[in-house]
Amino acid sequence: MTMTNHPPEPPPADADATPMESQVPAEPRAPAEPHSSVRSHDGATPVGPGTESAPAPVESGPGLPDTLAGSLATPIEAPEPAVETPGRLEIAGEWRRVSPRAITIELVGDAIGTVVVVAIAVVVWLLIDHPWPLIAGGAIVLATVITAAFVPRRIRSIGYLLREDDLLFRRGIMWQRFVAVPYGRMQLVDINRGPLARAFGLAELKFVTASPAAGITIPGLPLEEAEGLRDHLVSVAESRRTGL
């Protein structure tokens, strides 16, 4: 009896079994990297998986610097200066002026001073027999004549104004000065009269306060007006100091 060796039969294939290729374990995939956009060297379009489209870069123009250095280097236009309209100081009220006779007193005083200067210069010139006293005297006389030409305008520019809380005084032609003296700060109101002022019936009123800069003198007032103004200011000053 002859025995033949038969090869073992392969096990029956399972219908649900997967092919050999599918049974090979798949290589583990690397975990997905977080979303990042890689910008190319030319700065054009970001590349990478899952990259969203980035907005187009803003183009810089001549008026839009793209760097901090450029913005600092850009000159800033200076603001236009405000337009100033020339005007005068407007003060409500009626200004009281000094008497026109004060102009005569000033001119007479300048004339007397000129005569005295000329006399002294001539006497010194006769004593030392040198021309410099005449030169100095002539310069003083010329300056006095030029000053005397502005006396009328200077006297007419003087005035005062009685207000509710203070007395406002002004004087000056080119450089005007305004001084406000509060009634409660007046310490002394004095009347002064020189020889020429007595001859023309005028007087000057002087205000003394705690501040030397606020002290003023109003020249060329008629004697009656000066006395009435003095009495009024003294009574008002006393009432204001009492209220303080």
Side-chain angles (χ1 to χ4, degrees), residues 76-160:
I76 301 177
E77 297 182 359
E80 297 181 359
V83 180
E84 297 183 359
T85 57
R88 300 179 61 183
L89 181 61
E90 299 293 340
I91 299 176
E94 181 180 357
W95 287 93
R96 299 185 182 181
R97 302 181 182 274
V98 300
S99 174
R101 288 176 290 179
I103 300 175
T104 306
I105 295 177
E106 288 283 342
L107 294 177
V108 171
D110 292 342
I112 294 174
T114 302
V115 172
V116 172
V117 170
V118 171
I120 294 175
V122 171
V123 170
V124 174
W125 172 63
L126 293 175
L127 292 176
I128 65 175
D129 194 15
H130 198 277
W132 72 262
L134 298 180
I135 297 175
I140 295 175
V141 170
L142 180 61
T144 304
V145 171
I146 295 175
T147 305
F150 294 94
V151 167
R153 293 191 59 186
R154 182 168 57 84
I155 295 298
R156 285 194 292 265
S157 67
I158 299 174
Y160 66 95

Side-chain angles (χ1 to χ4, degrees), residues 3 11 14 37 47 56 66 71 80 120 142-143 151 167 174 222 234 243:
M3 297 181 64
D14 191 0
S37 59
V47 296
D66 54 353
S71 62
E80 297 181 359
I120 294 175
L142 180 61
V151 167
L167 181 142
M174 298 183 62
V234 168

Side-chain angles (χ1 to χ4, degrees), residues 4-5 11 47 49-50 99 109 116 121 130 137 178 204 206 223-224 229:
T4 57
N5 296 327
V47 296
S99 174
V116 172
H130 198 277
F178 291 83
E204 65 179 15
K206 183 178 181 181
L223 181 58
E224 297 80 6
L229 183 59

Side-chain angles (χ1 to χ4, degrees), residues 5-107:
N5 296 327
H6 296 280
E9 295 180 0
D14 191 0
D16 297 334
T18 56
M20 184 66 66
E21 297 178 356
S22 61
Q23 294 179 0
V24 178
E27 297 180 359
R29 294 183 180 180
E33 297 181 357
H35 173 69
S36 62
S37 59
V38 181
R39 184 175 294 275
S40 59
H41 293 287
D42 56 357
T45 307
V47 296
T51 303
E52 298 179 357
S53 59
V58 180
E59 297 182 358
S60 61
L64 183 61
D66 54 353
T67 60
L68 179 59
S71 62
L72 295 177
T74 305
I76 301 177
E77 297 182 359
E80 297 181 359
V83 180
E84 297 183 359
T85 57
R88 300 179 61 183
L89 181 61
E90 299 293 340
I91 299 176
E94 181 180 357
W95 287 93
R96 299 185 182 181
R97 302 181 182 274
V98 300
S99 174
R101 288 176 290 179
I103 300 175
T104 306
I105 295 177
E106 288 283 342
L107 294 177

